[in-house]
Amino acid sequence: MNGIRRWALSGVVAAAIGLVTTNAADQGVGVAIQAAAQAAAQPSALQRFSGSPIDVDFQSANLRTVLRQLSEIGGINIVIDPSVPLNATVDLRLIQVPWDQVMDVVLKTSGLTYELQGPVLRVLTREALTLELQAQAQQKIASQAAPDLESLRVRLNYSPASAVKDLLEQTRIVSDRGTVDFDERTNMLIIQDTPERLAEIEALIADLDRPEPQVEIEARIVQANRDTARALGVQWGFNGRMSPELGNTTGLAFPNSGTLSGRVTEQGALRQSPNDPRATALESAGTAINLPVPGATSAIGLSMGAINGAFNLDVALTALEREGSLRIMSTPRVTTQNNKQAEVTQGFEIPIQVVANNTVTVQFKPAALRLVVTPQITAANTVIMRIELENGIPDFSRAVNGNPSINTQKAITQVQVADGMTTVIGGIVQTTETSTSDRTPGLANIPLLGWLFKRSDNRRESQDLMIFITPRIIRG
């Protein structure tokens, strides 16, 4: 070592009063110097390195000796840890550098760090400091595990013990030494842990084991069918004969007699009443316009004829007007807990024979009213519902090989409804209008008299399907 010179600030009495440290990587060792100035002087401000500037010139100087000399210059207490090498050397030359900055450079260059414990500065290697911190952490863990474990038995009323056990283990609220077991028969939790952890676990279980409100869901399926029909038809015919027994001949050898009448060959001959008993079957066929209303509820007829039966005229007017309505209402209702799926079904299953590989098997197809719902109660006193509603009705009028078809109304949706309120989740309106007119070609177009040669039939059918849903929250 070539030497160390101290440089004193003119007019300042320097005194080391402590060590100010910040981040070891950025700030280094900082020493707060309180300058006692003379009467005219002002105290100087603290800087990053506020020690007295010195000149140093070290060449292969012993590291421990250098650290001790720097502590003497700064007037600080220093302890050199045994981890600092005994034969380590320092080589540096600095001019007018604060002594605390010199100390920081020496520490960094030698791979050392420091620890301030009150007025004492402790210098050691980084590896030694890391080992000390690890030992302190392990000691802290050991001190926490030192208390004896205690037992806690909790009988659950509403929550399954297996689910609560899984939740406690997943949230890691149980310490490494703690254990959680459960008894399925009594729905009881058996917990072992430290007293501090048991208090926290017991509070969590009290929040979890609470009764959930229930929800009553009522669905209403309203199906209304309305049909109207109006029909007007006419039948009329005539029959005229010339024959000797009537005294009505042509006066010719041929033809001496004859018959003129109306006929509808596809529907067969229509015998009129009253009828001449002397006439044959062909001579009494007298329906020229046959357009009646099937199933008519009203009719008016007019028959005219000669006394001797030489000419007859028969007219029949039929009319029908019908109006009907049908209302079917189904009201399935089910109650379930919050966030639990519920299902209610009412109906029957239809057996259907299936032939495959010369083997007859029977399969059953449901034709029933089915409601599946999962409610979720919100903090806003509303209910979010996932709904699947199906109404199947067998239709034997459209059977195939003896198996009826199934008329199905179905709705799958998710809605949010306030408690006690009713909403429509689906609806179908189907209207069928039919207008039919049967007429005699040409004659039906005659003004005023055209109605004698045609039949009109007007029908209208309407089907309305509405599905309503009403949730009611049941608390307590």
Side-chain angles (χ1 to χ4, degrees):
M1 178 173 60
N2 295 331
I4 303 177
R5 291 186 300 168
R6 302 187 184 183
W7 292 77
L9 297 175
S10 61
V12 178
V13 179
I17 61 171
L19 189 64
V20 179
T21 63
T22 56
N23 191 294
D26 299 327
Q27 303 296 335
V29 179
V31 178
I33 303 297
Q34 182 179 11
Q38 298 179 355
Q42 297 295 334
S44 60
L46 294 177
Q47 300 178 1
R48 180 179 180 186
F49 298 104
S50 56
S52 302
I54 61 175
D55 293 343
V56 293
D57 187 5
F58 296 111
Q59 183 176 3
S60 299
N62 184 270
L63 175 61
R64 287 173 172 261
T65 303
V66 172
L67 293 176
R68 292 176 62 87
Q69 291 183 356
L70 290 175
S71 67
E72 292 179 1
I73 295 173
I76 62 173
N77 301 319
I78 188 170
V79 175
I80 301 177
D81 191 78
S83 62
V84 178
L86 296 175
N87 56 355
T89 59
V90 177
D91 288 281
L92 66 116
R93 182 177 181 275
L94 300 174
I95 300 174
Q96 288 297 294
V97 178
W99 74 265
D100 49 356
Q101 187 174 2
V102 175
M103 173 78 78
D104 184 68
V105 171
V106 171
L107 293 177
K108 288 183 178 180
T109 304
S110 303
L112 302 178
T113 185
Y114 65 91
E115 184 181 15
L116 182 63
Q117 298 177 352
V120 179
L121 181 68
R122 180 168 172 258
V123 178
L124 70 166
T125 62
R126 292 187 177 90
E127 292 77 8
L129 181 60
T130 302
L131 293 176
E132 287 184 3
L133 294 177
Q134 292 176 352
Q136 291 176 3
Q138 293 176 357
Q139 185 179 3
K140 184 178 180 181
I141 295 175
S143 62
Q144 292 178 350
D148 294 335
L149 299 181
E150 295 184 1
S151 298
L152 176 65
R153 294 186 295 273
V154 182
R155 186 187 295 270
L156 303 178
N157 297 317
Y158 307 102
S159 303
S162 59
V164 177
K165 172 184 178 295
D166 295 339
L167 181 61
L168 293 177
E169 293 176 346
Q170 292 172 4
T171 55
R172 299 181 181 179
I173 194 173
V174 182
S175 66
D176 295 336
R177 297 178 61 199
T179 59
V180 181
D181 295 312
F182 71 95
D183 180 53
E184 186 176 358
R185 183 180 64 86
T186 59
N187 200 36
M188 178 182 290
L189 285 173
I190 304 172
I191 309 170
Q192 281 190 333
D193 214 326
T194 61
E196 295 79 6
R197 291 295 181 95
L198 288 180
E200 187 177 356
I201 292 172
E202 190 173 10
L204 177 59
I205 293 176
D207 292 336
L208 294 176
D209 191 31
R210 292 183 179 181
E212 285 291 324
Q214 300 185 122
V215 182
E216 179 190 58
I217 299 99
E218 178 184 354
R220 281 176 290 174
I221 305 174
V222 181
Q223 184 176 359
N225 297 338
R226 293 183 297 272
D227 67 283
T228 59
R230 180 175 297 177
L232 181 64
V234 64
Q235 289 176 286
W236 63 271
F238 62 93
N239 191 321
R241 292 192 299 145
M242 292 184 295
S243 79
E245 63 268 19
L246 297 177
N248 182 13
T249 62
T250 61
L252 301 175
F254 180 85
N256 181 262
S257 62
T259 301
L260 178 64
S261 63
R263 296 178 181 174
V264 180
T265 58
E266 292 183 358
Q267 299 184 5
L270 176 64
R271 295 182 177 274
Q272 298 183 8
S273 180
N275 192 28
D276 188 358
R278 297 168 294 179
T280 64
L282 292 177
E283 292 175 339
S284 62
T287 302
I289 302 299
N290 189 26
L291 298 173
V293 174
T297 57
S298 301
I300 184 172
L302 176 63
S303 297
M304 295 178 291
I307 295 178
N308 59 0
F311 184 79
N312 296 306
L313 179 64
D314 188 7
V315 178
L317 182 65
T318 57
L320 170 67
E321 185 172 358
R322 181 178 68 247
E323 181 176 354
S325 62
L326 173 65
R327 186 172 185 266
I328 301 175
M329 183 172 180
S330 303
T331 310
R333 182 180 301 177
V334 66
T335 302
T336 183
Q337 287 186 341
N338 187 26
N339 290 319
K340 297 294 183 180
Q341 178 177 300
E343 178 178 349
V344 59
T345 304
Q346 187 271 328
F348 54 90
E349 294 186 345
I350 300 175
I352 300 176
Q353 291 185 352
V354 178
V355 180
N357 298 327
N358 296 326
T359 302
V360 179
T361 59
V362 178
Q363 298 179 356
F364 291 88
K365 186 174 182 60
L369 177 61
R370 178 172 173 264
L371 172 64
V372 180
V373 61
T374 303
Q376 177 185 348
I377 302 175
T378 67
N381 206 36
T382 60
V383 182
I384 300 175
M385 294 174 290
R386 292 176 290 276
I387 304 170
E388 181 177 350
L389 181 63
E390 182 176 0
N391 186 24
I393 303 174
D395 187 357
F396 290 92
S397 63
R398 300 178 181 178
V400 178
N401 297 329
N403 300 318
S405 60
I406 299 177
N407 184 13
T408 303
Q409 297 97 31
K410 187 175 183 179
I412 300 176
T413 183
Q414 179 171 328
V415 295
Q416 179 175 344
V417 187
D419 180 23
M421 301 299 291
T422 301
T423 185
V424 180
I425 65 171
I428 300 175
V429 178
Q430 181 178 356
T431 302
T432 303
E433 295 184 359
T434 305
S435 179
T436 305
S437 179
D438 300 323
R439 61 185 70 189
T440 302
L443 299 178
N445 299 325
I446 299 176
L448 299 178
L449 297 180
W451 65 272
L452 292 174
F453 303 94
K454 63 182 178 180
R455 173 179 60 193
S456 61
D457 188 354
N458 298 317
R459 299 177 185 271
R460 187 176 188 273
E461 297 181 359
S462 177
Q463 296 181 354
D464 297 341
L465 175 67
M466 303 296 290
I467 302 176
F468 302 87
I469 199 78
T470 304
R472 297 182 180 89
I473 301 176
I474 304 174
R475 304 184 184 275

